[in-house]
Amino acid sequence: KNQVEQSPQSLIILEGKNCTLQCNYTVSPFSNLRWYKQDTGRGPVSLTIMTFSENTKSNGRYTATLDADTKQSSLHITASQLSDSASYICVVRSSNTGKLIFGQGTTLQVKP
Amino acid sequence: SQTIHQWPATLVQPVGSPLSLECTVEGTSNPNLYWYRQAAGRGLQLLFYSVGIGQISSEVPQNLSASRPQDRQFILSSKKLLLSDSGFYLCAWSEVPEYTFGSGTRLTVV
């Protein structure tokens, strides 16, 4: 069964600190993996998208990594800011069906 | 550039009342359109998708229906809302590899 699992479920860090969010998936074969940021009460906004041949992709203070062999991805946030408080969702697109499979998200809270 | 509009942002409706949520896309032709529901603390669940005018595929049986009367318009409807229809509804469009979400509608059925 195609699944995407994220950890931790929630995370609290102090402003200025770094953090790493994890995503493990069983979707195979897959065409791309995406990370979205979703502010409370808003729609998800794309941070990064990586194909199976890419290992890393950066977007400002956000850096996503992908290990297609172990089926793991991570999202690293550097020098966190209060505005980083949000849910971060890992999404994998199945090559077979073309459908997106969503993780349940990690809720990040950045405290001053 | 492509943009997606979804409204209303919030909606409170009594049980048994009808529902109509609208989503429109600008700056693209013949997009794939989607309706998702996001329950509190849970991941997004695909409800409907459409690859063209009048073409609707339903992912899960439910109290809702969707229609696509125009190329860039996608409507989510219900004849009679249930309490369990409460949730956060998201419209999305895709043009490989991009996948863009609307701002969402918070529906509360009371």
Side-chain angles (χ1 to χ4, degrees):
Chain A
K1 181 179 177 181
N2 287 332
Q3 286 185 314
V4 177
E5 295 185 355
Q6 292 185 242
S7 62
Q9 184 175 356
S10 61
L11 182 63
I12 301 174
I13 62 173
L14 293 177
E15 186 179 13
K17 298 295 186 182
N18 304 334
C19 67
T20 300
L21 314 180
Q22 299 291 341
C23 174
N24 295 338
Y25 60 92
T26 60
V27 182
S28 183
F30 77 100
S31 57
N32 57 59
L33 184 146
R34 308 154 186 263
W35 282 94
Y36 284 88
K37 177 187 178 186
Q38 184 177 20
D39 293 317
T40 301
R42 305 299 300 274
V45 175
S46 180
L47 293 176
T48 64
I49 176 171
M50 291 182 290
T51 64
F52 62 87
S53 61
E54 295 179 286
N55 299 120
T56 185
K57 183 74 69 83
S58 291
N59 178 359
R61 294 180 297 103
Y62 301 102
T63 299
T65 65
L66 174 63
D67 186 334
D69 291 331
T70 61
K71 295 184 171 57
Q72 294 179 325
S73 176
S74 65
L75 180 69
H76 186 74
I77 304 175
T78 304
S80 61
Q81 300 176 359
L82 298 178
S83 59
D84 292 331
S85 296
S87 289
Y88 292 84
I89 304 172
C90 176
V91 187
V92 180
R93 186 176 194 129
S94 167
S95 296
N96 287 341
T97 64
K99 292 182 179 179
L100 299 187
I101 296 137
F102 291 82
Q104 292 190 330
T106 292
T107 300
L108 172 66
Q109 186 177 359
V110 181
K111 289 191 170 182
Chain B
S1 63
Q2 301 91 346
T3 57
I4 181 168
H5 301 281
Q6 186 179 342
W7 68 91
T10 60
L11 191 60
V12 179
Q13 292 282 98
V15 169
S17 64
L19 172 74
S20 180
L21 302 181
E22 189 162 343
C23 172
T24 59
V25 182
E26 295 179 357
T28 185
S29 296
N30 197 30
N32 291 341
L33 297 173
Y34 309 83
W35 278 110
Y36 287 86
R37 178 168 56 204
Q38 187 176 37
R42 303 179 70 176
L44 277 74
Q45 179 187 36
L46 179 61
L47 302 176
F48 301 95
Y49 69 93
S50 171
V51 298
I53 296 174
Q55 301 179 62
I56 308 296
S57 296
S58 174
E59 286 293 297
V60 293
Q62 58 201 307
N63 184 44
L64 302 169
S65 62
S67 62
R68 187 168 176 175
Q70 301 181 43
D71 180 45
R72 288 171 281 182
Q73 183 185 30
F74 204 23
I75 298 173
L76 183 68
S77 304
S78 174
K79 292 182 179 178
K80 289 185 178 181
L81 283 169
L82 305 172
L83 287 175
S84 58
D85 291 324
S86 293
F88 190 58
Y89 290 83
L90 287 158
C91 177
W93 74 274
S94 74
E95 191 174 68
V96 178
E98 295 302 323
Y99 204 100
T100 304
F101 290 90
S103 55
T105 296
R106 171 70 60 191
L107 171 66
T108 304
V109 182
V110 296

